[in-house]
Amino acid sequence: MNDSSVRVLVPAGMLGAGFPPETVERGLALGADVIAIDGGSTDSGPHYLGSGTPKTARAAVAADLRILLNAAARARIPLIVGSCGTSGTDGGVDWVAGITAEILAEDGLGLTVATVYSEQSPEPLAERLAAGAVRPLPPMGELEPGTLRECTHIVGMMGHEPIEAALRAGAQVVLAGRATDTAVAAAYPLMRGMPPGPTWHAAKIVECGGQCTTDPRAGGVFATIDHDGFTIEPLDPTVACTPTSVAAHMLYETADPFRMREPAGTLDVSAADYRALDERTVRVEGSRFEPAEQHTIKLEGARISGYQTMSFSAIRDPRILGQIEDWAALLRKVLADRVSRTLGLAPDDYAVDLRLYGHNAVLGELDPASGPPREVGVMLLVQAADQATATAVAKVANPLMLHLPTADMAYLPSLAFPFSPAETERGPAYEFVLNHTVDVDSPTALFRTEYRKAAADA
Amino acid sequence: MPETLGDLALEVRSKNAGPFWVTMELFMRDAEGYAMAADEDFLNEEVIARLYGVPAGEVRFFRIPALRVVKLSFPRAASQGGLHDRDVHRGQHHVPLAALVPPGRPGG
């Protein structure tokens, strides 16, 4: 194929975030060749990968998908969704695929759907680790094989290749497991022969939808990629892309704003030039892509770190607030003594985090401000190897969260619990434990694709 | 009142850059403000190490005059979503950085 340009419509930064339907109409009118949208992120923490549950509400995902599936069917262009179900687990892909199947049936749309699965079993990865093919990314150290087996879910981050393969096989809708944010928007332009430098750079700029515009709340963006660079404009005609808003997006959630690793190589935008074509359209040229000698897939994995129970109380009495640090230190000490005495637990059997909201909970010792607060929310977070132990510690703390006086008080104050019961069981707590890459011979090797063909008469 | 980096900036922000890194940006209002924020004698790896309790050798700086932006990244101190993580998205950790007062400014 030898197209002169490929036009990518990105309706929002995440599936389920919502967008004005007319912005998609405008993208179609501009001649979109593909619709691409990210369905996930690690940004909200390890719970979603660890538990294999989505962050987004089903109804919100369905509302967005209905608009996009109908738009794709009408314009006869592909729809690509990446990192389905927030973390891109197989269950997340099936969740989005189930919603998709419902909408296709209800709206009478005959589209062939590919599901691309990215979840990984620990044993094959342990073999690759033993063969020296797994490497840590900073700041992580070498991987222990036991860590792989402790993960509740492991996903590999696909590049554009498995998505492109699904499109070539005839898929009109591609629902991908964990994928790089950029692969979703890059797959179709690369398949149509666009050069990798401008394609990956454009894909990075559009991955958060309107974040690269002057009004991130206004919906999506539209990128036109050609052989010399790309142009970008917001889908909302009242909003603008400026050279600064576009260039600044390379800063967003990146450790290095100039170089970005993809499975197939590294995008380098250090020589990129951003220029206004008009008041709301920006032209970008000079982006480079350096193919890697070794194709690598980044792994993400989460394991259960323990079980948590939370208790929360509040203090308004200025007499306690004037010595809040001393009060908190006393609580920690008395709690440790009572847990040892009544539960027989050693210090290693549980852990607590006492947070003084309104005082310094968010920044702790880093906080540059000081001075007595007006009121303080006291959050006690307990973690232990099982839920019952965590809750027992929180219950032992209950009389202290209610009545603990300061050292100079001759009476017992009663503090303000906001609800009853005071303790809330948070269930398993997860932690990310993988930040490693695995060398692969083929960019599609770790991924599995299934097709659900459209009915022949559709 | 001292004039802080935050006062001289359009925006100072912090955010996760993946689960294991935090990144911060100072979007400075004008060339003068950028010159102060980009002054390596004033704002450098050692200052960030002191401010955020990270090893100076792990702090990465990017000074981008075309955008009047100083960006810096370092590994996250508390594991994301862990017992001691009080800011899952790391969206409030810019505050100590924004509170710095450049030399020669009132209060500096």
Side-chain angles (χ1 to χ4, degrees), chain A residues 369-455:
Chain A
S370 61
R374 194 177 55 160
E375 67 178 24
V376 163
V378 181
M379 180 188 290
L380 179 76
L381 197 55
V382 184
Q383 184 162 319
D386 61 86
Q387 190 75 66
T389 301
T391 298
V393 173
K395 283 178 183 281
V396 167
N398 186 291
L400 310 176
M401 298 281 283
L402 177 60
H403 286 311
L404 184 75
T406 56
D408 62 351
M409 279 181 168
Y411 57 93
L412 293 185
S414 292
L415 307 178
F417 277 120
F419 30 64
S420 169
E423 297 81 23
T424 303
E425 294 190 338
R426 297 196 64 256
Y430 297 89
E431 62 182 341
F432 286 119
V433 288
L434 297 184
N435 191 35
H436 298 75
T437 63
V438 55
D439 295 347
V440 288
D441 296 331
S442 152
T444 57
L446 294 181
F447 309 100
R448 305 162 302 283
T449 305
E450 293 176 8
Y451 297 90
R452 297 165 204 208
K453 300 276 185 203

Side-chain angles (χ1 to χ4, degrees), chain B residues 14-101:
Chain B
S14 63
K15 195 80 203 290
N16 292 332
F20 299 98
W21 286 78
V22 54
T23 190
M24 303 188 186
E25 289 107 25
L26 296 141
F27 291 84
M28 304 311 293
R29 203 177 292 281
D30 51 33
E32 190 196 3
Y34 174 75
M36 284 181 216
D39 178 355
E40 295 182 32
D41 291 331
F42 162 58
L43 186 56
N44 52 44
E45 288 80 355
E46 301 293 335
V47 171
I48 296 303
R50 205 161 54 238
L51 217 47
Y52 289 100
V54 289
E58 296 187 9
V59 180
R60 303 183 64 191
F61 259 86
F62 303 90
R63 297 176 178 87
I64 310 168
L67 297 175
R68 289 185 189 136
V69 165
V70 174
K71 177 180 173 78
L72 53 102
S73 305
F74 52 85
R76 226 174 186 284
S79 168
Q80 191 191 12
L83 180 67
H84 299 289
D85 181 18
R86 281 106 171 271
D87 188 2
V88 169
H89 296 256
R90 274 293 182 267
Q92 288 293 300
H93 272 65
H94 61 287
V95 170
L97 175 64
L100 287 179
V101 179

Side-chain angles (χ1 to χ4, degrees), chain A residues 336-403:
Chain A
D337 292 346
R338 291 195 182 181
V339 166
S340 167
R341 205 168 58 240
T342 58
L343 302 179
L345 295 177
D348 286 352
D349 292 337
Y350 69 101
V352 301
D353 194 40
L354 187 67
R355 309 175 176 191
L356 304 174
Y357 283 95
H359 176 51
N360 69 350
V362 177
L363 294 174
E365 291 173 358
L366 308 179
D367 203 309
S370 61
R374 194 177 55 160
E375 67 178 24
V376 163
V378 181
M379 180 188 290
L380 179 76
L381 197 55
V382 184
Q383 184 162 319
D386 61 86
Q387 190 75 66
T389 301
T391 298
V393 173
K395 283 178 183 281
V396 167
N398 186 291
L400 310 176
M401 298 281 283
L402 177 60
H403 286 311

Side-chain angles (χ1 to χ4, degrees), chain A residues 70-308:
Chain A
N70 277 279
R74 191 150 36 87
R76 297 176 179 276
I77 59 175
L79 167 65
I80 301 168
V81 183
S83 301
C84 285
T86 303
S87 58
T89 58
D90 291 358
V93 173
D94 286 335
W95 184 68
V96 176
I99 299 170
T100 299
E102 267 181 34
I103 295 169
L104 294 181
E106 285 167 10
D107 293 4
L109 304 175
L111 298 175
T112 294
V113 179
T115 44
V116 188
Y117 296 96
S118 61
E119 202 153 338
Q120 309 295 318
S121 304
E123 292 313 324
L125 290 176
E127 287 170 24
R128 300 293 293 147
L129 177 62
V134 176
R135 295 186 184 83
L137 294 170
M140 299 297 268
E142 293 295 332
L143 184 60
E144 297 293 328
T147 304
L148 289 166
R149 297 181 187 108
E150 286 168 4
C151 288
T152 52
H153 292 279
I154 301 171
V155 290
M157 257 182 148
M158 71 182 82
H160 66 286
E161 299 91 345
I163 298 169
E164 178 176 337
L167 292 169
R168 286 190 186 279
Q172 293 155 297
V173 178
V174 180
L175 305 177
R178 188 63 172 136
T180 68
D181 292 352
T182 38
V184 181
Y188 191 71
L190 289 172
M191 174 178 139
R192 294 268 297 264
M194 294 302 111
T199 299
W200 287 111
H201 193 181
K204 169 60 193 169
I205 295 296
V206 300
E207 51 114 0
C208 284
Q211 190 79 35
C212 64
T213 71
T214 53
D215 184 357
R217 295 159 299 182
V221 285
F222 189 86
T224 303
I225 301 160
D226 58 49
H227 289 274
D228 302 310
F230 68 95
T231 59
I232 179 152
E233 65 182 289
L235 287 169
D236 184 328
T238 67
V239 176
C241 281
T242 68
T244 300
S245 76
V246 173
H249 187 63
M250 292 305 293
L251 307 168
Y252 190 66
E253 294 181 348
T254 56
D256 182 333
F258 298 116
R259 290 177 66 80
M260 225 147 289
R261 180 66 206 253
E262 294 289 335
T266 300
L267 170 68
D268 186 326
V269 305
S270 52
D273 175 58
Y274 305 78
R275 169 165 63 87
L277 286 188
D278 57 37
E279 286 173 356
R280 54 185 302 282
T281 311
V282 171
R283 173 77 183 166
V284 183
E285 295 182 0
S287 333
R288 292 190 307 255
F289 189 79
E290 303 160 4
E293 285 180 20
Q294 172 63 57
H295 203 98
T296 56
I297 297 294
K298 186 179 167 187
L299 302 172
E300 292 174 347
R303 71 179 172 197
I304 293 176
S305 58
Y307 291 78
Q308 291 184 350

Side-chain angles (χ1 to χ4, degrees), chain A residues 53-71:
Chain A
T53 52
K55 176 188 170 183
T56 38
R58 190 181 200 280
V61 168
D64 285 1
L65 268 179
R66 188 178 300 277
I67 294 167
L68 298 179
L69 287 165
N70 277 279

